[in-house]
Amino acid sequence: QDAARPAGLHLGHWVILVLSLAVTTAAWWFSDQQLSRQTDARFEQETQRVRSLIVERMETYEDALIAGIGTIDALGGEVSASQWARFAGSLRLERRYPGIHGIGVIEEVHDVEAYEAQQRLDRPDFHIFPAHERDEWLPITYVEPLADNFRAIGLDMAHEDNRYQAAVRGRGAGTTQITGPIA
């Protein structure tokens, strides 16, 4: 009778097949979990590295802004366009601060007509823009390098909420503030 019986999988074969499948699945799951943990750890490590590089760069850029404040303070609170140009030139922005496309002076203005008239003595085309509804004006008075940023001269930071709030926070707290790029 055994010779007439068709060859097939016996219970032992099925047990070996199921156990092999279980061991393979367990090994795959364990390997997948290990790989996932390693990937997560590498991602977290790289994220922290990039974050620390960004913070370091921003602190370096903040140093340039603080140097500008120190320069204005050393000059008695007033700075001319030529003095600001000399200061900015000494920073060598393009080499030492490649992320800074311009460094400028924003002044608080109470009498727009008188301020524009005073600025036009040296720069006949100076005007504060754009018009807005606030009772305060915070125009960019000087910016360097001038060739790349001349269109920003007179731009009133009070015309846009994010820039205005940053300027007000910085003035009130005496700290540097970051805003988005000025187009």
Side-chain angles (χ1 to χ4, degrees), residues 115-129 140-141 146 150-155:
Y115 187 80
E116 285 180 334
Q118 186 264 331
Q119 292 298 316
R120 286 179 183 148
L121 294 174
D122 294 324
R123 299 174 289 171
D125 296 332
F126 183 90
H127 69 283
I128 297 173
F129 69 96
I140 298 173
T141 304
L146 186 58
F150 70 93
R151 291 184 355 203
I153 298 291
L155 177 65

Side-chain angles (χ1 to χ4, degrees), residues 2-25:
D2 285 334
R5 196 170 178 199
L9 295 177
H10 297 296
L11 179 61
H13 295 128
W14 280 107
V15 169
I16 291 171
L17 184 63
V18 168
L19 286 175
S20 295
L21 184 58
V23 168
T24 301
T25 301

Side-chain angles (χ1 to χ4, degrees), residues 38-50:
Q38 289 172 354
T39 301
D40 289 349
R42 267 188 264 134
F43 178 79
E44 186 61 33
Q45 183 180 19
E46 190 63 18
T47 300
Q48 288 304 320
R49 187 184 74 76
V50 169

Side-chain angles (χ1 to χ4, degrees), residues 35-183:
L35 182 62
S36 181
R37 279 194 286 275
Q38 289 172 354
T39 301
D40 289 349
R42 267 188 264 134
F43 178 79
E44 186 61 33
Q45 183 180 19
E46 190 63 18
T47 300
Q48 288 304 320
R49 187 184 74 76
V50 169
R51 182 185 179 284
S52 68
L53 289 172
I54 290 170
V55 167
E56 182 180 322
R57 176 66 58 97
M58 296 308 292
E59 288 171 348
T60 300
Y61 291 168
E62 184 179 35
D63 290 344
L65 297 174
I66 292 168
I69 293 167
T71 297
I72 293 170
D73 285 348
L75 294 170
E78 298 281 328
V79 64
S80 68
S82 63
Q83 289 169 323
W84 189 253
R86 280 195 309 276
F87 161 74
S90 72
L91 290 177
R92 296 186 307 273
L93 292 176
E94 64 284 340
R95 188 172 70 74
R96 293 176 59 207
Y97 303 97
I100 296 179
H101 298 286
I103 188 165
V105 175
I106 298 170
E107 293 190 354
E108 185 176 2
V109 173
H110 300 286
D111 183 343
V112 172
E113 290 180 19
Y115 187 80
E116 285 180 334
Q118 186 264 331
Q119 292 298 316
R120 286 179 183 148
L121 294 174
D122 294 324
R123 299 174 289 171
D125 296 332
F126 183 90
H127 69 283
I128 297 173
F129 69 96
H132 57 78
E133 300 299 317
R134 295 190 202 281
D135 293 331
E136 176 170 40
W137 295 269
L138 301 168
I140 298 173
T141 304
Y142 309 120
V143 66
E144 293 293 332
L146 186 58
D148 297 336
N149 297 291
F150 70 93
R151 291 184 355 203
I153 298 291
L155 177 65
D156 190 350
M157 301 303 273
H159 87 281
E160 193 267 323
D161 283 338
N162 290 332
R163 288 168 176 76
Y164 176 71
Q165 294 302 325
V168 169
R169 278 192 314 270
R171 175 183 63 197
T175 60
T176 56
Q177 300 292 313
I178 296 174
T179 63
I182 298 170

